[in-house]
Amino acid sequence: MKLMKTLLAATAVLALAAGAAQAKTLVYCSEGSPEGFDPAPYTAGTTFDASSRPIYNRLVQFTKGSSDTEPGLAESYDVSEDGLEYTFHLRQGVKFHSSDTFTPTRDFNADDVLFSFERQWKSDHPWNAYTAGISWEYFNSMSMGELLSSIEKVDDYTVKFTLTRPEAPFIANMAMDFASIMSAEYAAQLEAAGTMDLLNQAPIGTGPFEFVNYQQDAAIRYSSFDDYWGGVQPLDDLVFAITTDPAVRMQKLQAGECHVMPYPNPADLDSIRADSSLQLMEQEGLNVGYLAYNTTMAPFDNVNVRKALNMAVDKQAIVDAVFEGNATAAINPIPPTIWSYNTSIVDDEYNPEAAKAMLAEAGVENLSMKVWAMPVSRPYNPDARRMAELIQADYAAIGVTAEVVSMEWGEYLSQSSLPDRDGAVLLGWTGDNGDPDNFLAVLLGCDAVGSANRAQWCNEEFDALIQKAKITSDKAERTALYEEAQVVFKREAPWLTIAHSVVFMPMSTKVTGYVMDPKGTHAFDGVDLAE
């Protein structure tokens, strides 16, 4: 059955490419299916790769390969002396995509900016809950609702954001995927037709590639947008061939069925290096892989139980077996490649006997629990099933029975965020903007409970520190606050911090212009294929 699905997926991709046989088409063997094509409700890099990066733009954007920002749909911006007002001066002449059912009658303007943010902000907005189960995870986790005082259309090409408090990472946050700008005109047409769900299924943006079609769990096709404000792309077409198995991705890459693939098996790296038709890019990842306990449910509401479970796991064995040494054991919830990393913190020691004694002292006997394992490869975890099995064995050595469970990726993400979730969840994070707030607040802040805070952990001391850091403009002061927050995190142990990985990108030697991004993005604007 698995082989049949693989063959069907490959057939689908070939069929898609056949229509553009004379065109320059790059095939990217994506690791999973997107949750949708509206990036704002989601947090998965897989979804962003398929939506915000090819299809949309933001007011400001990250310079390729870095966390520095540069103009995007806003040509410039002004900040008031008190840090409360940000006035964005919008780029004129920016065109929206069209489709068989939508032809724009105007260029991008301030109305699109207001629509894109107000739908996430205002609970009475008609687009606030336009599709079943939708939630604005980034917007809420980052406390944007409390941060915004007003968004004002000064004129068609000027928008002013007024904040309730200074926010040091505000501009970097505005370059993130959730801040992608949608077409208000397209949304109005869908609302009038009663087909609002199509905003998430048939996207319209201003980005370098137009959405063509999506075959569920098989392939996504895009075409170069001739009127893109950033210039016409070297590629004519872009195809995402959804291939969840890294071994199959590797086979397709070697066979020339795809040109680029993410997240190779660590065991395949040597053969990739030895293949003259392939090139291998690599860089230290801005990431962390972790196991999040549900700290609201007994016995995981007891810090000593969490500490005991952490001490039971041999993290170096995981680094060796799962990453084949291409990672470092994680101590803190942020990677050492990001500023404010606290180098003075000592990790929980690997000590099964002490872990056993600590559980006994906490009155915990015959503990049974679930360990959730992701069904897809991620930069911070290339093989979650294998990792879960190693943790399962380590837990068994201290008398804890762990059941490894998994499910489809989209369901995994939604179910793992529920406050009453049963079990500890393997997950991870790649930084979106190079700011510590993007890890500490988004993943561990009180506002993120029920969404990106998979530990459901709300610690007043920790939260006060990160909230104070947000409104502090001095980087040295922010660093001291974040360093102290990491001390609280380590003391309270809502996670087992597992690893920070090296990220590898294999691709055909025909591919030129591809730039690896420390934030884990996979973007194909500016990429070309040699004949």
Side-chain angles (χ1 to χ4, degrees):
M1 181 61 72
K2 186 174 182 181
L3 177 60
M4 180 61 70
K5 287 183 178 179
T6 300
L7 291 172
L8 288 172
T11 301
V13 174
L14 291 172
L16 283 173
Q22 304 305 312
K24 189 179 291 187
T25 301
L26 184 141
V27 180
Y28 170 61
C29 275
S30 171
E31 80 285 1
S33 301
E35 301 150 280
F37 292 93
D38 176 355
Y42 307 113
T43 62
T46 306
T47 297
F48 296 154
D49 287 345
S51 61
S52 49
R53 280 118 201 200
I55 299 170
Y56 300 104
N57 296 115
R58 289 142 292 283
L59 293 177
V60 291
Q61 61 193 24
F62 293 111
T63 305
K64 267 188 175 291
S66 83
S67 55
D68 297 333
T69 57
E70 63 183 18
L73 292 179
E75 289 185 311
S76 64
Y77 61 88
D78 307 314
V79 186
S80 62
E81 287 188 12
D82 60 7
L84 296 180
E85 294 181 356
Y86 288 75
T87 303
F88 293 91
H89 305 283
L90 307 184
R91 192 180 299 274
Q92 298 189 32
V94 174
K95 308 296 182 186
F96 277 103
H97 306 159
S98 60
S99 68
D100 292 341
T101 60
F102 174 72
T103 301
T105 64
R106 62 165 177 81
D107 292 346
F108 155 75
N109 67 25
D111 293 332
D112 305 305
V113 178
L114 265 63
F115 169 76
S116 299
F117 288 95
E118 288 184 344
R119 68 192 184 119
Q120 301 180 63
W121 179 26
K122 299 183 176 180
S123 59
D124 60 350
H125 195 281
W127 284 87
N128 186 257
Y130 75 92
T131 191
I134 203 166
S135 63
W136 310 102
E137 287 200 39
Y138 267 114
F139 191 89
N140 295 331
S141 297
M142 296 165 65
S143 308
M144 291 290 288
E146 293 76 30
L147 175 65
L148 293 174
S149 175
S150 65
I151 308 176
E152 176 187 353
K153 175 183 175 181
V154 178
D155 58 44
D156 280 349
Y157 292 99
T158 312
V159 178
K160 182 168 71 174
F161 287 72
T162 302
L163 311 185
T164 59
R165 62 175 186 269
E167 180 87 348
F170 182 70
I171 288 297
N173 291 345
M174 294 294 279
M176 289 167 54
D177 302 88
F178 83 97
S180 295
I181 303 301
M182 321 293 283
S183 166
E185 183 183 21
Y186 181 49
Q189 176 180 305
L190 296 179
E191 185 178 355
T195 55
M196 294 169 75
D197 280 0
L198 289 180
L199 190 75
N200 203 17
Q201 300 167 18
I204 295 289
T206 59
F209 294 96
E210 293 184 275
F211 174 84
V212 176
N213 55 42
Y214 173 41
Q215 292 178 268
Q216 181 74 37
D217 299 329
I220 314 166
R221 181 177 172 184
Y222 312 84
S223 63
S224 176
F225 182 36
D226 291 341
D227 291 326
Y228 179 49
W229 61 269
V232 178
Q233 297 304 301
L235 299 173
D236 298 302
D237 296 286
L238 173 65
V239 175
F240 277 35
I242 297 166
T243 314
T244 57
D245 188 328
V248 178
R249 290 199 297 274
M250 181 64 183
Q251 291 168 9
K252 287 184 175 183
L253 183 67
Q254 291 176 318
E257 294 178 31
C258 64
H259 302 99
V260 184
M261 65 164 281
Y263 318 131
N265 278 327
D268 289 335
L269 294 175
D270 286 343
S271 63
I272 294 170
R273 293 186 179 104
D275 191 328
S276 62
S277 69
L278 302 179
Q279 55 182 314
L280 182 67
M281 296 183 177
E282 65 179 88
Q283 66 179 196
E284 291 288 334
L286 190 73
N287 61 45
V288 62
Y290 61 82
L291 179 75
Y293 307 108
N294 188 336
T295 61
T296 66
M297 298 183 70
F300 310 106
D301 56 346
N302 184 332
V303 63
N304 290 324
V305 172
R306 301 194 298 267
K307 284 278 192 184
L309 292 173
N310 284 359
M311 292 171 66
V313 177
D314 186 348
K315 292 195 287 192
Q316 189 56 50
I318 289 175
V319 167
D320 293 341
V322 176
F323 297 90
E324 301 222 351
N326 295 299
T328 56
I331 299 171
N332 295 327
I334 63 175
T337 48
I338 202 169
W339 61 271
S340 83
Y341 181 86
N342 193 330
T343 58
S344 66
I345 292 176
V346 178
D347 202 8
D348 298 313
E349 65 172 330
Y350 169 55
N351 191 329
E353 291 305 314
K356 226 186 279 190
M358 190 175 287
L359 282 181
E361 187 176 341
V364 175
E365 297 180 358
N366 302 317
L367 174 61
S368 293
M369 61 182 290
K370 293 178 181 176
V371 172
W372 291 37
M374 295 171 294
V376 296
S377 306
R378 305 304 304 142
Y380 46 75
N381 191 337
D383 190 343
R385 169 66 68 168
R386 176 66 175 139
M387 187 181 290
E389 289 169 349
L390 291 170
I391 293 171
Q392 180 185 48
D394 284 342
Y395 283 170
I398 63 165
V400 173
T401 301
E403 175 191 1
V404 178
V405 299
S406 191
M407 60 199 71
E408 184 273 330
W409 184 220
E411 184 182 2
Y412 188 98
L413 290 169
S414 62
Q415 294 295 316
S416 64
S417 68
L418 297 177
D420 61 351
R421 181 202 73 239
D422 179 20
V425 172
L426 279 173
L427 208 57
W429 194 256
T430 299
D432 295 287
N433 60 15
D435 195 284
D437 178 77
N438 182 246
F439 284 83
L440 300 178
V442 172
L443 302 181
L444 293 158
C446 292
D447 287 337
V449 168
S451 56
N453 186 339
R454 260 56 181 203
Q456 316 301 334
W457 182 65
C458 179
N459 180 280
E460 291 183 4
E461 181 183 2
F462 178 90
D463 213 59
L465 289 166
I466 62 172
Q467 293 300 332
K468 186 176 180 181
K470 276 189 179 187
I471 64 173
T472 303
S473 58
D474 184 87
K475 191 171 183 178
E477 291 181 28
R478 292 188 75 202
T479 295
L481 291 165
Y482 287 135
E483 286 179 343
E484 190 176 348
Q486 290 166 72
V487 171
V488 177
F489 167 88
K490 203 63 184 180
R491 183 189 74 216
E492 298 299 320
W495 296 352
L496 165 67
T497 52
I498 299 174
H500 308 294
S501 73
V502 177
V503 179
F504 296 92
M505 281 295 294
M507 62 192 71
S508 166
T509 54
K510 294 180 180 179
V511 177
T512 62
Y514 186 89
V515 178
M516 282 194 77
D517 194 303
K519 303 181 298 300
T521 69
H522 299 109
F524 297 95
D525 54 303
V527 174
D528 201 354
L529 273 178
E531 298 295 340

